[in-house]
Amino acid sequence: METPPQLTLGRLFSSWQADVPALLVVVLLGGLYGWGVLRLRRRGEAWPVARTLAFALLGLGTIVVATMSALAVYDRVLFWPAAVQNVLLDLIAPLGLALGDPLRLALRALPGRAAARAQGAMTGRLFRLLTFPLVSTALVLATELTIYFTPYFETALADNWLHQLMYLHLLLAGSLFVLPVLTREEALPAWCTHPVRAGLVFVDGIIDAVPGIVVMTHGTLIAGSWYLSHSPSWAPDVQHDQQLGGGAMVSIAELVALPFLLAILAQWARTERAETVALDRRLDTELVSTKPAEAASEGPDLVRPWWETENSEVAQRIRGQR
C-alpha cells in the first residue's frame, strides 16, 4: 500500500479516488429513485423537488464523499478520516435518503401488484421488528461498538471487500432507524405519533454520541497495530489521532440531531395543518347542508323590527300606535 502525501487543507478537498462498488450502489439507488419520479410525472402526478434534491445531494452525495473523497484516500493511514467516514454513512447519508421519502415514492410509482408486495413487506413482522424504535436504535449503537471494539474494523482495513461490506452495514443500520421515522407511510406502530418521534430522535441523538465519547476517551488504541505500522512520518501521534476521530464523531452526531429533529417538527406541523383543513372542510359541508332549513325558519324573524319582537312597554306602545 502506497503512503499518500501529507494531508493538507488543499488535499482534503482535492484528493479523490474511485470506489467502484460504492459508485454502483449510488447509481442503482439514484436510478431507481429517478425512475419513480419520472413514472409519477408521466401519470401527471407531482413529486416535491425538495425531496429529490435531499435524496440526491444529502443522501447519495454523502455516500460519494464518504467513500471516494480524501476521507477514503487517507482512512488507512489516519484514524480520524475513517471515523468521519463511518459516521457520515451511519447518520448523515440515511438522513438525506429518508428526507427523499423513498418508501412512499416506491408505493406510489410501482405497479399494483408490486406496490402491494412492497406494502406487505413494510407491514411484515421482520420489517416491523427491525424498525421498532428501540430495536433500530440498539442496532445502530451495536454496529458502532462492534466495529471499533472488535477485530471487525482492523480486519476491514486489510480486506477491501470486508471494508465495502462495513460501508453497507453502517448505511443499512442507520437507515433502519431514520427511514421509518421520516416517511409519511405508516411504517411504525400507531403509538409512534409525532411527539413520540420527536422524543425518540432526541434520545437517539444522545445515544449516537456514545461511540464517539468512548472512542475519544478509550485508553487502548483502536486498530492500534494497523495504524502503528502504517502511520506515515508526517501523521500526528496515533493516540492523538484517535482522540481527533472520537471528537469528530461526537460533533457530527450532535450536529445531525438538530436537522433531524427539525424535520420531525416540520412534518408534525404539516400533518396538523392538513388535519385542520380537512376538519374545516367537513364542518363547512355540514353547515351548508343545515343552513337552508335554518334560514327558512329564522329568516323572517331576523328582518322584523325590534318593536315587533320585544315585549317591553315601549315596544307595546309603538305597536299600539301603528
Side-chain angles (χ1 to χ4, degrees):
M1 184 185 71
E2 295 184 3
T3 301
Q6 182 174 359
L7 180 58
T8 61
L9 185 60
R11 290 194 179 103
L12 182 63
F13 293 98
S14 62
S15 298
W16 292 83
Q17 68 178 21
D19 189 317
V20 176
L23 186 60
L24 290 176
V25 171
V26 169
V27 171
L28 177 63
L29 293 177
L32 291 174
Y33 194 91
W35 171 84
V37 174
L38 289 177
R39 185 174 174 85
L40 290 183
R41 288 183 177 177
R42 287 172 182 171
R43 295 204 307 244
E45 300 179 25
W47 184 256
V49 176
R51 292 194 178 278
T52 303
L53 292 177
F55 187 89
L57 299 180
L58 187 59
L60 300 181
T62 299
I63 297 175
V64 170
V65 170
T67 59
M68 302 183 210
S69 70
L71 299 175
V73 174
Y74 288 88
D75 65 344
R76 284 180 167 84
V77 296
L78 292 173
F79 175 81
W80 75 260
V84 173
Q85 210 180 25
N86 293 346
V87 78
L88 290 180
L89 292 171
D90 194 25
L91 298 180
I92 296 184
L95 178 61
L97 298 177
L99 289 173
D101 205 356
L103 298 181
R104 184 174 180 83
L105 176 63
L107 294 180
R108 288 180 58 184
L110 287 171
R113 292 183 178 179
R117 286 195 294 268
Q119 183 69 52
M122 285 177 53
T123 56
R125 291 184 178 180
L126 180 60
F127 187 84
R128 291 282 189 177
L129 174 63
L130 293 177
T131 58
F132 189 78
L134 298 179
V135 174
S136 58
T137 301
L139 286 175
V140 173
L141 181 60
T143 296
E144 291 278 1
L145 296 179
T146 300
I147 286 175
Y148 293 118
F149 299 104
T150 69
Y152 189 173
F153 180 55
E154 187 166 1
T155 307
L157 292 173
D159 188 330
N160 185 58
W161 284 107
L162 184 59
H163 207 181
Q164 298 295 332
L165 182 62
M166 186 182 73
Y167 289 160
L168 187 60
H169 184 184
L170 288 163
L171 185 63
L172 289 176
S175 298
L176 284 175
F177 177 79
V178 181
L179 279 174
V181 171
L182 287 181
T183 188
R184 287 184 289 172
E185 296 300 322
E186 296 300 326
L188 292 175
W191 55 266
C192 283
T193 59
H194 286 94
V196 174
R197 295 184 189 192
L200 290 173
V201 170
F202 178 78
V203 173
D204 183 71
I206 298 174
I207 294 176
D208 286 338
V210 171
I213 295 173
V214 175
V215 168
M216 187 168 51
T217 59
H218 194 55
T220 305
L221 293 176
I222 297 172
S225 59
W226 173 273
Y227 282 112
L228 286 172
S229 60
H230 292 83
S231 179
S233 58
W234 49 263
D237 175 72
V238 177
Q239 183 69 46
H240 180 59
D241 181 28
Q242 180 171 310
Q243 292 173 348
L244 290 175
M249 292 171 63
V250 174
S251 300
I252 295 174
E254 294 308 309
L255 286 175
V256 78
L258 179 60
F260 193 1
L261 185 59
L262 290 177
I264 292 294
L265 296 178
Q267 190 180 70
W268 186 5
R270 286 195 301 269
T271 302
E272 291 290 332
R273 285 198 299 269
E275 292 177 353
T276 301
V277 170
L279 180 61
D280 289 343
R281 288 176 179 173
R282 190 179 70 181
L283 291 176
D284 290 342
T285 303
E286 293 176 355
L287 289 174
V288 168
S289 62
T290 58
K291 185 173 290 185
E294 295 176 355
S297 61
E298 298 180 3
D301 290 338
L302 293 176
V303 297
R304 292 170 64 188
W306 63 272
W307 57 81
E308 292 184 6
T309 58
E310 290 188 8
N311 292 321
S312 64
E313 184 178 353
V314 176
Q316 291 175 1
R317 288 181 180 179
I318 295 176
R319 285 198 295 270
Q321 291 176 359
R322 288 179 176 274

